[in-house]
């Protein structure tokens, strides 16, 4: 049995092994492994039992699979006793299971070809670092031990805090606190006291001492997210702290020194804010010693299958769902969607659909959010392009533009005629499903 499962893709070997097994159990009058070619010629690969009793009282045929152009099968004449019948039925069950294994292997290989999934490094921090993010994290580790300013830029949801944590984790401050602080989440009039702290009675409502997040991160790392939201009045105080390490909480008469590393992040264009006079130039240069820029997810779509696979595995564990996978059509929509919320939005979408799915199910396009399910949806106009099934192009036109026009119209016609079924359209065009996806992405279809 172990040998059969190891050689699941070799039907001739399986057939001859099963003939040997049937012979040893003595459950058949006769059994033969046959290979039938397209020309009808039958070759007997192996047999057991008494040839003269072949097909006595009717034979039973069990299909094994295809070996090249030949169909391999078993032709059995089972004995009549209960144990022999049970053995032959068990052989049929074994063959069915082997076929399922072969189908699963072929499907896995097809999915790997269509949607390649990178092997994720085992960093142990729970973050998904693949492709572009892995490159950024690798560079972040290089500068982690240098006590210099780092500015992380990128749209919301691209993983700026993940990078900041990586810097902290691989620095000499790793054993001390990592304190994230979102400057946009606190009212501007409260930012100073939240950052630098205050003494009791420093202002109305200050009924107790507050050390502030800078002192909370002593000897560690303070991650200032959305630093572009700091007011012009507060920016000089942050600059003084960056230059001297001194802070003066509200209500204190003298400043004191705190050892904290600042890692800042923003989804705003600080250079534009500097030009508009809304952000101090000297503070910008003090923060922007090392710049780490994170690209949005729509600019690194090749990473989406790996992210989906990882998020699917995590969500399945979280919601205790087993054997949940995503359909090819749903994966295609996920790859084609623009993802304004980037990786965070993708992770939340996967968690949502897994939460409402059943175990042992395939996540179809219908489960996706409406906007995602309609991503680059194939349009099926009622009328074909001018000229019916033909298109005229000028021989003096630019080659690249003309080829793109021809490809675009051919893809539209194929998708329309096959009612949006991508597999059928790709076969009609003579290209792979992945090739069709890449062309649609390039041509904006």
């Amino acid at each position: 049995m172990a040998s059969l499962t190891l050689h699941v893709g070799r039907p001739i070997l399986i057939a001859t092994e099963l003939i040997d097994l049937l012979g040893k159990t003595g459950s058949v009058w006769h059994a033969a492994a046959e290979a039938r070619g397209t020309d009808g010629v039958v070759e007997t690969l192996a047999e057991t039992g008494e040839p003269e009793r072949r097909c006595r009282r009717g034979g039973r045929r069990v299909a094994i699979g295809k070996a090249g152009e030949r169909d391999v099968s078993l032709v059995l004449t089972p004995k009549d006793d209960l144990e022999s019948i049970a053995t032959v039925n068990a052989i049929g069950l074994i063959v069915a299971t082997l076929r399922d294994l072969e189908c699963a292997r072929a499907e896995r290989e097809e999915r790997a070809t269509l949607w390649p999934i990178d092997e994720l490094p085992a960093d142990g921090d729970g973050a998904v670092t693949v492709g572009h993010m892995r490159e950024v994290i690798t560079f972040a580790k290089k500068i982690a031990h240098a006590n210099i300013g780092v500015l992380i830029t990128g749209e919301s949801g691209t993983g700026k805090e993940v990078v900041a944590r990586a810097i902290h984790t691989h620095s000499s401050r790793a054993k001390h606190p990592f304190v994230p602080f979102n400057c946009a989440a606190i009212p501007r009039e409260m930012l100073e006291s939240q950052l630098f702290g205050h003494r009791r009675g420093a202002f109305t409502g200050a009924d107790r001492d507050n050390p502030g997040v800078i002192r909370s991160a002593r000897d560690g790392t303070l991650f200032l997210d959305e630093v572009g939201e700091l007011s012009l009045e507060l920016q000089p105080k942050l600059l003084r702290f960056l230059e001297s390490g001194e802070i003066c909480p509200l209500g204190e008469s003298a400043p004191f020194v705190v050892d904290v590393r600042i890692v800042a992040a923003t989804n705003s264009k600080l250079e534009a804010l500097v030009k508009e006079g809304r952000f101090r130039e000297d503070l910008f240069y003090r923060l922007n010693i090392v710049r780490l820029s994170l690209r949005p997810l729509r600019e690194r779509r090749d990473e989406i299958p790996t992210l989906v696979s990882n998020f699917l595995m995590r969500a399945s564990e979280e919601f205790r769902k087993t054997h949940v996978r995503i359909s090819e059509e749903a994966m295609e929509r996920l790859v084609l969607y623009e993802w304004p919320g980037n990786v965070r939005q993708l992770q939340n979408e996967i968690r949502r659909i897994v939460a409402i799915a059943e175990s042992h199910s395939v996540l179809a396009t219908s489960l996706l959010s409406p906007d995602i399910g309609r991503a680059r949806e194939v349009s099926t106009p009622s009328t074909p392009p001018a000229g019916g099934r033909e298109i005229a192009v000028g021989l003096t036109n630019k080659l690249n533009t003309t080829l793109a026009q021809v490809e675009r119209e051919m893809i539209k016609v194929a998708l329309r005629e096959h009612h949006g079924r991508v597999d059928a359209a790709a076969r009609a065009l003579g290209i792979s499903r992945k090739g069709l996806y890449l062309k649609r992405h390039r041509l904006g279809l």
Side-chain angles (χ1 to χ4, degrees), residues 123 125-144 150-155 157-171 178 180 221-225 261-266 290-295 300 343-344:
D123 286 341
D125 57 359
V128 183
T129 56
V130 59
H132 169 66
M133 177 62 82
R134 187 182 299 174
E135 295 172 2
V136 174
I137 293 290
T138 300
F139 183 76
K141 292 177 182 178
K142 293 180 180 179
I143 52 95
V150 179
L151 179 63
I152 307 171
T153 60
E155 295 181 6
T158 50
K160 296 187 289 293
E161 186 172 336
V162 172
V163 177
R165 286 185 181 276
I167 293 173
H168 173 75
T169 301
H170 293 88
S171 72
F178 174 86
T221 303
L222 174 61
F223 173 55
L224 289 181
D225 198 8
R261 180 181 190 172
I262 298 290
V263 176
T266 181
V290 175
R291 172 80 70 97
L292 298 177
S293 298
L294 297 179
R295 289 156 48 199
R300 42 192 177 105
V343 179
R344 184 186 297 121

Side-chain angles (χ1 to χ4, degrees), residues 412-439:
K412 284 182 179 179
V413 169
L415 289 169
R416 181 175 60 251
E417 292 188 348
H418 293 87
H419 307 288
R421 296 195 301 273
V422 179
D423 284 329
R427 284 195 298 270
L429 291 168
I431 59 177
S432 67
R433 182 189 177 103
K434 185 177 182 180
L436 178 55
Y437 152 69
L438 292 173
K439 288 183 182 295

